[in-house]
């Protein structure tokens, strides 16, 4: 539920703030808050080498993934569709985690991922446009695919090199690197537009407190205590929730074929995450 609101925040902020500018402010505030919390709770700061690993993971997990997501939504990709494309991450994770982390990927796992991929195709097909930007286009969808790949690489790197770093201090370092990543992007491509309206402040407050601190710390804890591929499979649950929220708040609608695709993705989640014998 919390993770799904991230796509809603991207949609809410888009008319009021340039996407990379929004993330620059978000990461700066979230990183400072986590650093303060780390000092209050006397959390252990990582060694220079561990901090470097956290910086690399943060660039992929937060900078690359959220940068692509916010850019795509700001350029017309519906938030529900963005969530669904981001749901491809478990497929990419299953391919890479088995090779890099030695996690066991079963035939049942692959079957579930294949079914979910079919669901994604069903959702994209009815409204696919070949304009450059401004809706479900190869450019906006491609940006989200790159975001999903970035999150996959970041998740695996986090599991392999950063899993034992304190959550507060490690995530603070991640936001520092993500801040640099998106700030450079904003400097090159944007005018730092922030109209300071009520919706802009609400989106910023929610994204900092609930998403950048609450949701991310939960995600890091799940990675620490479980297989990356199994944790990321839960992300298949996000698109339907995000699509329902987008319909209620922004009147984003799906065709019957797209709704069927959402259901097919849910079947994929069940196949992947159900307990074995």
């Amino acid at each position: 539920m919390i993770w799904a609101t991230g796509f809603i925040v991207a949609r809410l902020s888009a008319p009021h703030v340039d996407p990379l500018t929004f993330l620059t402010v978000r990461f700066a505030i979230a990183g400072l808050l986590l650093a303060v919390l780390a000092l209050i709770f006397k959390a252990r700061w990582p060694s220079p080498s561990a901090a470097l690993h956290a910086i690399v993971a943060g660039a992929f997990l937060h900078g690359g993934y959220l940068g692509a997501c916010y850019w795509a939504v700001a350029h017309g990709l519906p938030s529900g569709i963005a969530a669904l494309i981001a749901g491809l991450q478990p497929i990419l994770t299953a391919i890479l985690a088995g090779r890099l982390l030695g996690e066991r990927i079963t035939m049942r796992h692959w079957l579930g991922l294949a079914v979910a991929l079919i669901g994604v195709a069903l959702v994209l097909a009815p409204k696919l446009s070949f304009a450059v930007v401004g809706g479900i286009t190869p450019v906006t969808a491609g940006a989200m695919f790159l975001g999903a790949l970035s999150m996959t690489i970041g998740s695996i790197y986090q599991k392999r090199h950063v899993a034992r770093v304190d959550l507060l201090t490690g995530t603070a370092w991640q936001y520092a690197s993500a801040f640099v990543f998106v700030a450079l992007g904003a400097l090159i491509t944007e005018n730092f537009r922030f109209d300071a309206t009520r919706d802009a402040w609400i989106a910023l407050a929610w994204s900092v407190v609930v998403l950048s601190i609450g949701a991310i710390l939960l995600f890091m804890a799940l990675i620490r205590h479980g297989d990356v591929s199994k944790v990321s499979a839960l992300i298949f649950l996000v698109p339907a929730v995000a699509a329902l929220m987008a319909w209620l708040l922004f009147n984003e609608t799906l065709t019957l074929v797209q709704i069927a695709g959402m259901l097919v993705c849910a079947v994929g989640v069940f196949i992947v995450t159900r307990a074995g014998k």
Side-chain angles (χ1 to χ4, degrees):
M1 292 290 291
I2 295 174
W3 198 270
T5 64
F7 300 93
I8 303 305
V9 165
R11 174 70 170 79
L12 180 64
S13 66
H16 309 288
V17 191
D18 287 335
L20 299 183
T21 298
F22 181 88
L23 290 174
T24 299
V25 178
R26 169 179 168 177
F27 292 149
I29 297 173
L32 288 173
L33 284 176
L34 284 173
V36 170
L37 288 173
L39 292 174
I40 291 173
F41 290 102
K42 298 180 179 179
R44 182 179 179 182
W45 288 89
S47 65
S49 61
L52 180 60
H53 286 310
I55 287 171
V56 173
F60 285 106
L61 270 176
H62 309 299
Y65 167 62
L66 288 176
C69 175
Y70 275 65
W71 184 92
V73 172
H75 287 81
L77 188 69
S79 49
I81 306 300
L84 193 73
I85 297 175
L88 291 175
Q89 185 228 337
I91 297 174
L92 302 174
T93 301
I95 294 172
L96 295 177
R99 294 179 179 273
L100 300 179
L101 299 181
E103 294 184 1
R104 184 169 177 265
I105 307 299
T106 66
M107 286 302 297
R108 172 174 59 82
H109 200 145
W110 284 111
L111 175 62
L113 296 176
V115 170
L117 183 59
I118 293 171
V120 172
L122 288 173
V123 174
L124 287 179
K127 294 186 177 181
L128 182 64
S129 165
F130 288 94
V132 177
V133 293
I136 305 174
T137 72
V139 174
T140 56
M144 271 309 308
F145 278 113
L146 289 177
L149 178 60
S150 182
M151 187 179 179
T152 297
I153 295 171
S155 298
I156 294 174
Y157 195 91
Q158 170 80 16
K159 179 70 175 182
R160 190 168 188 175
H161 298 290
V162 197
R164 295 185 179 182
V165 175
D166 183 270
L167 287 178
L168 290 177
T169 56
T171 308
W173 273 114
Q174 289 185 0
Y175 284 144
S177 69
F179 165 80
V180 173
F181 185 92
V182 296
L184 287 175
L187 186 65
I188 295 170
T189 64
E190 298 178 353
N191 297 314
F192 293 98
R193 176 178 61 93
F194 192 115
D195 65 12
T197 58
R198 182 191 64 179
D199 284 351
W201 287 115
I202 290 174
L204 182 61
W206 183 272
S207 68
V208 168
V209 177
V210 179
L211 294 171
S212 287
I213 295 179
I216 292 300
L217 290 181
L218 285 171
F219 182 69
M220 298 302 179
L222 286 172
I223 288 179
R224 175 174 293 183
H225 295 292
D227 288 351
V228 171
S229 56
K230 292 179 180 177
V231 172
S232 61
L234 296 173
I235 292 176
F236 273 138
L237 296 170
V238 171
V241 178
L244 179 59
M245 291 178 178
W247 172 68
L248 290 171
L249 294 173
F250 307 118
N251 200 33
E252 289 186 5
T253 57
L254 298 172
T255 66
L256 289 176
V257 172
Q258 289 176 307
I259 293 172
M262 290 282 189
L263 294 175
V264 171
C265 281
V267 172
V269 174
F270 174 76
I271 294 173
V272 171
T273 60
R274 70 182 176 87
K277 291 183 180 180

